[in-house]
Amino acid sequence: MNTGERPTLAKGLMLLPALIVLGLFFTSVILLFSNAFVDRGGFSLKYFEQILARPDYHVVFYRTVLTSIIVALLAVLLAYPISLLLWRSEKHRNMLLIVVLVPWLVSLVVRTYGWIILLGPKGFVNAFLGWVGVIDTPLKLMFNDTGIIIGLTHVLIPFAVISILASLLSIEENLEEASRVLGAGRWQTFRTIVFPLSLPGVFTSLMVIYLACIGAIVTPLLLGGITEKFVGSQIYQEVMATFNMSKAAAWSICLLSLSFVSLVLLKFIERRALRGQE
Amino acid sequence: MAKMTPLMKTIGIVLLLLLPAPIFIVFGASFNGTGYIQFPPESWSLRWYVDAFTDPRWGRAVLTSLWIAAVVATLITAISFLAAYFTLRYAPRISGWLELAIFSPLFFPHASMGVAAVALMAGMGIVGTPIAIILAHLMVTIPFSYRPIHVALKSVDPDLIRAAEVMGASELRALWDIILPICRSGILTSLLFTGIISFDEVTVTMFLIGPDITTLPVQIFTFIQDDASPVLAAISTLSVVITFLAILLLERVAGLSFFVQRQSS
Amino acid sequence: MTRQTPTPNAAFGSIDISSVSKSYGDAEVLSEVSLSIPAGSFLTLLGPSGCGKTTLLRLIAGFIAPTRGSIQIDGRTMTQVPTQKRPIGMVFQNLALFPHFSVAENIAYGLKLRGTSQAETQARVAKFIQLVGLDGLGDRRIAQLSGGQKQRVALARSLVLEPSILLLDEPLSALDLQLRKQLQFALKDIQKQLRTTFVFVTHDQEEATMISDRIVVMSNGHVQQVGTPQEIYSDPQNLFVSKFIGEVNELPGRVRSAGQTLAVETGAGTFELPPGVARGPSPAAGDNVTICLRPEKITMLGDTAPAPGIVTAQAQVIDTLVIGPLTRITLDAQGTRMTSIQMTDALGPVTGRVTPGATVRIGFPADAARVFAPLTADLATAFGDHA
């Protein structure tokens, strides 16, 4: 809607509030760095050394990344059939979309709480299995990696559904029919036309879910407990329990670099997979 | 459009129904009469709701979350609208840069963002005040507000503005009479979407609460860690209902098509 | 009014549609359509939007199944044959090119599905790229092509499989006029070279006239008339076809007497016509009818007595418009607007008198008129859509 007019300075003020919000954000990032890299008035890598020297912290990083990769793949895999269902059901799509949106937008804490009720030692699943008589002692479904993976996957599937659905919906009309006229069966059409064209949504999901996972605090803390630490739960402890802001900032920067490296890697894979698709 | 095989359709439906399942579990647990989650439930009661409504801490948290969500949604929608309107109309050349800056928080892991927010708010000495929470929520919600508004404004034909102004409308008049009504659903999407995000935000907010202020999700989080009383189930149900109503309202007034539009990156 | 053609054509590429109906719920979009399409013909389904032409095409393609009736291709009933097994190609209105494939990959797709060897695939892709005039563009992405080029890719993609039938669903509708004309000729040319049966859907009667051997005029789920472009234009079988194809003067009137001659009283006067000009049910005295006259049939008469068989009337000239070799004259015959189109040169002797305001004597050959019953209500609404 550019009308080709020159802006006046007064009109430029309209940009100011947004710049203030962005300014606050970038200031907070700078403060994060200064907290992590400055010690007693000088540049220092002390806090990073403290983190990198501890083998048990390596496990935390390793677990966070591995879990996040598993969750991202699992969430996309489970989301795909739901996206297909929504894509095909034109008539009820809005209603089904609400079934996806509500779990997506309901607070993380509430959804995780649901899993605690389900998976906890005195939870629904154990109570049910005990009542049926399948087990005597409660299964350990929580406070381990399984709990974290189940919880995070469930929390993030809705996003994958929505972004894959967006890709499917952007597929031009008649492409499937064209493929069938040219001699492709149902499965061939899916494999060669529909699936490749849904890849942008798949990659967006992988990226966003991976990011959300490695930066998660609430779900790993509640479902993983104190022993199975995530980078997020470690950060939470540094801030809330030991009040060590500098170390928390150093953790955050490690996390940031981790996500940055992973994103570049994923972008590279995406480029190769989507070669020529524009 | 082609049909799905019955098998794929069944898989899709089962998976779809699993999405809200934990929410229904919370819902069911909130009516459980006995002390904790029990299977099969022995009695049904509303006692947890009574407990929740009589405990002033919950009432305060709900109200805090609601008013903060309202303030954040209004502010960020206005901020995004002004910025998008200015860049699209007068400075399309900086539009790309502005978007890059606005969307950059999306690439920030939430945990890092939480720490950065504490660092900033501590620096300003406002941790534990509503201002801190509101400012943090503005930073979190700006991409989600800017996108629907930007998309809506972009679709406005510049000739409409020229036509209005040729007919004698001032810029403000044209904005009010022509542009705002055309962008209505984008603006409403921004308002409700950011309101919901703010109401349910926990990862960043939990670093910023203080003795005088806490939000509903953060308080639920704290209580889960302390003692998981079924009051939590009742209060969680309430939070689900509020979010659900907001989504229904969004569907009514603006439609849900925004969520499934492909981002043009 | 459907036309039965009992003898099925046995050559490759023939289509026989017998009493096909298609309903969605209560709405019947095609009713009792029977049509025989001979192999190697260029046939156009023509009609306003919603007339059922695209539905008929999709039935032939097998995307949808008929509610009643059956479709045979080369004498074989298609009811149980899925789309991918039918000997057809199709060009879609939105072209439906695969955006993630290059031009060559799009064209090679069907060959790949058939397990054609790489060498042969390459050779045939190259041949068809050339046939449709896309030399050198094989590696282009679809997004890098112009509208006309995309059109040609869609055509090549279907033709490379050498289907005996090619279905085209308004493939030119998105193009600008000039490109459209150019591709119309290209299509006709390619069809002549390959002798493939082309079934072409359009709502544009000029386009239909330009490219087809045979036109099927459809409306409201019924076939109105089947014939060559010439037949459809000069001898329409009902008022709908007459109105839909080309320009026509309509003189609504009432039959005064029917018998040796058909006398019709209209606002412009009472005309005595041979009974052979009536189409459809034969009119009786008192019936409401419409006389249709092509503008080029209305001539300006001098002072001399009219030749035998020429019907005359008085009219006032409202306006004249010279469009190169043709002159368009707007007339008012006792309150009835009429249009006459004449060769400008032929008007020579009377030009002086054909000026706005002048009263002239006009005439038309009695056997050039057509007399039709009024449109039925459903056809009238179909028309309202179009006009």
Side-chain angles (χ1 to χ4, degrees):
Chain A
M1 51 169 254
N2 178 24
T3 47
E5 296 153 89
R6 300 212 128 263
T8 59
L9 198 59
K11 281 179 183 165
L13 286 178
M14 287 192 273
L15 211 49
L16 194 61
L19 292 180
I20 291 175
V21 173
L22 294 176
L24 284 174
F25 173 70
F26 288 110
T27 312
S28 77
V29 176
I30 292 166
L31 285 173
L32 186 71
F33 276 82
S34 70
N35 262 303
F37 286 104
V38 177
D39 187 50
R40 279 185 237 113
F43 177 80
S44 155
L45 289 173
K46 181 178 136 197
Y47 301 107
F48 290 93
E49 281 158 10
Q50 280 178 8
I51 292 169
L52 297 175
R54 297 255 309 258
D56 56 329
Y57 285 168
H58 296 177
V59 178
V60 173
F61 279 114
Y62 175 70
R63 172 187 298 122
T64 305
V65 170
L66 189 69
T67 309
S68 302
I69 292 174
I70 293 173
V71 168
L73 293 173
L74 208 57
V76 166
L77 190 73
L78 296 175
Y80 210 102
I82 305 179
S83 307
L84 280 179
L85 178 77
L86 263 70
W87 182 44
R88 296 294 194 204
S89 42
E90 235 166 313
K91 227 192 280 173
H92 307 290
R93 193 181 295 141
N94 240 22
M95 202 187 74
L96 298 180
L97 199 55
I98 290 180
V99 179
V100 178
L101 283 177
V102 171
W104 182 39
L105 294 174
V106 158
S107 183
L108 200 63
V109 199
V110 172
R111 287 180 285 163
T112 308
Y113 178 60
W115 282 107
I116 294 177
I117 298 179
L118 270 165
L119 302 177
K122 285 183 285 178
F124 195 83
V125 172
N126 273 317
F128 176 76
L129 293 177
W131 179 69
V132 177
V134 183
I135 52 166
D136 297 329
T137 47
L139 294 176
K140 200 169 185 250
L141 299 167
M142 236 173 84
F143 303 129
N144 56 19
D145 288 337
T146 319
I148 300 183
I149 290 175
I150 294 178
L152 281 175
T153 305
H154 177 266
V155 159
L156 293 164
I157 286 177
F159 178 83
V161 172
I162 288 165
S163 91
I164 295 170
L165 177 63
S167 269
L168 289 172
L169 287 174
S170 71
I171 295 178
E172 218 186 330
E173 230 186 318
N174 292 337
L175 283 197
E176 284 182 282
E177 286 170 345
S179 166
R180 278 169 58 206
V181 173
L182 293 171
R186 190 195 280 276
W187 166 244
Q188 277 169 318
T189 300
F190 176 77
R191 199 171 52 82
T192 54
I193 308 298
V194 176
F195 183 68
L197 289 175
S198 70
L199 278 178
V202 168
F203 277 104
T204 308
S205 309
L206 287 176
M207 192 144 70
V208 171
I209 292 174
Y210 175 81
L211 262 177
C213 273
I214 63 168
I217 299 180
V218 171
T219 311
L221 206 59
L222 293 180
L223 292 176
I226 319 287
T227 48
E228 308 294 313
K229 282 212 185 84
F230 240 55
V231 174
S233 33
Q234 189 66 44
I235 288 176
Y236 181 72
Q237 262 190 331
E238 298 290 358
V239 180
M240 307 302 272
T242 53
F243 305 107
N244 191 339
M245 265 307 290
S246 293
K247 213 167 153 196
W251 273 104
S252 302
I253 285 166
C254 292
L255 189 60
L256 205 57
S257 3
L258 206 58
S259 66
F260 189 72
V261 171
S262 320
L263 284 189
V264 170
L265 217 69
L266 191 63
K267 222 35 211 179
F268 177 74
I269 299 173
E270 185 182 357
R271 277 277 157 74
R272 296 200 54 127
L274 299 184
R275 219 170 358 178
Q277 219 187 95
E278 222 14 80
Chain B
M1 187 165 282
K3 286 192 187 113
M4 290 174 94
T5 59
L7 178 69
M8 274 314 281
K9 199 167 182 173
T10 314
I11 294 175
I13 292 173
V14 168
L15 288 172
L16 176 72
L17 291 179
L18 280 179
L19 293 182
I23 294 175
F24 285 113
I25 295 292
V26 172
F27 190 63
S30 72
F31 294 107
N32 200 333
T34 30
Y36 196 56
I37 323 309
Q38 217 170 19
F39 190 87
E42 274 161 15
S43 61
W44 301 103
S45 96
L46 290 172
R47 58 185 279 217
W48 308 117
Y49 286 89
V50 176
D51 283 7
F53 282 109
T54 46
D55 185 338
R57 287 175 301 177
W58 288 115
R60 217 181 307 136
V62 171
L63 288 180
T64 307
S65 281
L66 281 175
W67 80 256
I68 285 183
V71 169
V72 167
T74 314
L75 279 179
I76 202 65
T77 301
I79 290 170
S80 296
F81 184 85
L82 288 176
Y85 173 74
F86 175 78
T87 37
L88 282 174
R89 177 154 183 190
Y90 294 108
R93 254 185 269 157
I94 65 159
S95 176
W97 292 103
L98 185 69
E99 270 176 74
L100 190 69
I102 283 177
F103 292 135
S104 57
L106 287 177
F107 296 95
F108 242 68
H110 258 76
S112 306
M113 206 148 147
V115 178
V118 201
L120 176 73
M121 306 308 169
M124 296 196 288
I126 54 171
V127 173
T129 66
I131 305 285
I133 298 175
I134 289 171
L135 288 180
H137 283 195
L138 291 179
M139 299 193 296
V140 171
T141 51
I142 194 165
F144 302 101
S145 161
Y146 190 80
R147 211 170 81 77
I149 291 176
H150 180 87
V151 169
L153 273 172
K154 220 174 170 171
S155 71
V156 177
D157 182 351
D159 279 347
L160 292 181
I161 305 172
R162 293 195 190 104
E165 292 182 351
V166 164
M167 285 187 258
S170 64
E171 175 163 5
L172 216 55
R173 240 358 247 272
L175 196 63
W176 185 256
D177 292 341
I178 312 296
I179 300 175
L180 277 182
I182 295 177
C183 300
R184 181 177 164 276
S185 80
I187 292 167
L188 289 171
T189 301
S190 160
L191 272 175
L192 283 158
F193 192 28
T194 56
I196 294 170
I197 294 173
S198 166
F199 182 76
D200 290 323
E201 211 301 317
V202 53
T203 313
V204 175
T205 316
M206 65 188 183
F207 291 110
L208 302 171
I209 53 154
D212 298 329
I213 186 165
T214 187
T215 65
L216 182 62
V218 175
Q219 184 152 309
I220 296 176
F221 173 74
T222 326
F223 272 60
I224 294 176
Q225 285 185 302
D226 293 349
D227 101 274
S229 144
V231 177
L232 282 176
I235 209 76
S236 295
T237 303
L238 182 69
S239 133
V240 170
V241 168
I242 293 174
T243 306
F244 180 65
L245 289 178
I247 293 172
L248 279 191
L249 185 66
L250 178 61
E251 198 264 342
R252 263 299 125 77
V253 299
L256 300 175
S257 59
F258 164 74
F259 292 98
V260 290
Q261 265 163 13
R262 184 97 126 61
Q263 292 100 319
S264 46
S265 46
Chain C
M1 127 168 180
T2 49
R3 190 179 271 188
Q4 296 286 338
T5 12
T7 43
N9 194 322
F12 283 125
S14 69
I15 307 172
D16 285 285
I17 296 161
S18 24
S19 316
V20 162
S21 300
K22 177 71 187 172
S23 317
Y24 292 101
D26 289 339
E28 191 167 60
V29 287
L30 272 187
S31 37
E32 294 292 319
V33 169
S34 292
L35 189 63
S36 178
I37 305 172
S41 59
F42 197 134
L43 178 125
T44 296
L45 303 176
L46 171 68
S49 57
C51 71
K53 56 193 191 300
T54 298
T55 306
L56 187 55
L57 203 71
R58 298 174 76 82
L59 282 166
I60 299 173
F63 299 141
I64 48 177
T67 312
R68 283 188 309 280
S70 71
I71 294 172
Q72 291 185 314
I73 294 179
D74 297 335
R76 202 154 65 95
T77 304
M78 288 288 119
T79 315
Q80 299 300 325
V81 183
T83 298
Q84 61 263 37
K85 299 271 167 59
R86 297 187 183 195
I88 52 162
M90 181 157 178
V91 179
F92 293 84
Q93 186 166 17
N94 67 348
L95 305 183
L97 296 175
F98 305 128
H100 55 311
F101 292 166
S102 68
V103 168
E105 283 167 341
N106 260 285
I107 301 173
Y109 181 71
L111 293 171
K112 252 190 226 159
L113 291 171
R114 282 161 181 72
T116 313
S117 75
Q118 197 147 15
E120 199 193 331
T121 302
Q122 265 178 11
R124 281 172 70 178
V125 168
K127 179 183 151 195
F128 276 86
I129 283 185
Q130 197 174 18
L131 179 81
V132 298
L134 286 174
D135 313 42
L137 299 181
D139 293 329
R140 286 276 180 93
R141 292 282 142 200
I142 298 305
Q144 296 170 303
L145 301 180
S146 71
Q149 287 168 335
K150 283 182 189 165
Q151 191 61 58
R152 290 164 190 267
V153 178
L155 201 59
R157 181 177 74 174
S158 301
L159 291 175
V160 74
L161 301 173
E162 288 167 6
S164 46
I165 295 162
L166 185 66
L167 310 174
L168 302 103
D169 184 9
E170 305 211 26
L172 306 180
S173 58
L175 303 175
D176 62 56
L177 193 65
Q178 205 174 351
L179 199 53
R180 218 177 146 129
K181 288 258 143 61
Q182 203 182 323
L183 279 161
Q184 282 167 0
F185 285 118
L187 267 181
K188 205 174 161 82
D189 205 43
I190 289 169
Q191 195 267 342
K192 279 218 178 96
Q193 271 186 59
L194 299 175
R195 305 300 309 160
T196 306
T197 307
F198 275 32
V199 182
F200 189 95
V201 160
T202 184
H203 62 265
D204 178 346
Q205 46 105 0
E206 205 175 311
E207 182 168 274
T209 313
M210 291 271 288
I211 56 177
S212 7
D213 305 333
R214 270 149 62 85
I215 295 177
V216 178
V217 183
M218 295 181 67
S219 176
N220 275 39
H222 293 269
V223 171
Q224 299 294 335
Q225 188 171 352
V226 183
T228 63
Q230 177 63 39
E231 284 166 359
I232 299 270
Y233 182 79
S234 56
D235 193 10
Q237 296 298 304
N238 60 36
L239 186 53
F240 176 84
V241 177
S242 176
K243 278 163 75 87
F244 193 69
I245 310 290
E247 198 179 343
V248 75
N249 289 300
E250 288 171 61
L251 305 173
R254 184 186 290 272
V255 178
R256 187 177 272 180
S257 67
Q260 286 285 299
T261 57
L262 185 64
V264 181
E265 185 182 349
T266 72
T270 301
F271 300 111
E272 305 240 326
L273 304 169
V277 299
R279 292 289 179 273
S282 13
D287 285 357
N288 284 322
V289 292
T290 302
I291 300 178
C292 283
L293 277 171
R294 296 291 182 198
E296 68 274 18
K297 298 293 182 193
I298 300 176
T299 51
M300 305 297 118
L301 300 178
D303 296 326
T304 49
I310 297 289
V311 179
T312 64
Q314 293 288 328
Q316 198 174 23
V317 177
I318 303 291
D319 195 16
T320 62
L321 188 61
V322 179
I323 313 158
L326 297 178
T327 297
R328 190 187 170 90
I329 306 152
T330 310
L331 302 157
D332 180 303
Q334 279 90 63
T336 306
R337 267 305 149 101
M338 293 170 85
T339 302
S340 160
I341 295 177
Q342 299 296 307
M343 297 297 290
T344 307
D345 288 348
L347 274 174
V350 285
T351 299
R353 271 183 287 153
V354 185
T355 49
T359 302
V360 290
R361 204 148 66 99
I362 59 171
F364 58 89
D367 57 1
R370 286 290 175 271
V371 174
F372 303 113
L375 288 178
T376 52
D378 58 331
L379 283 181
T381 53
F383 224 89
D385 278 354
H386 182 74

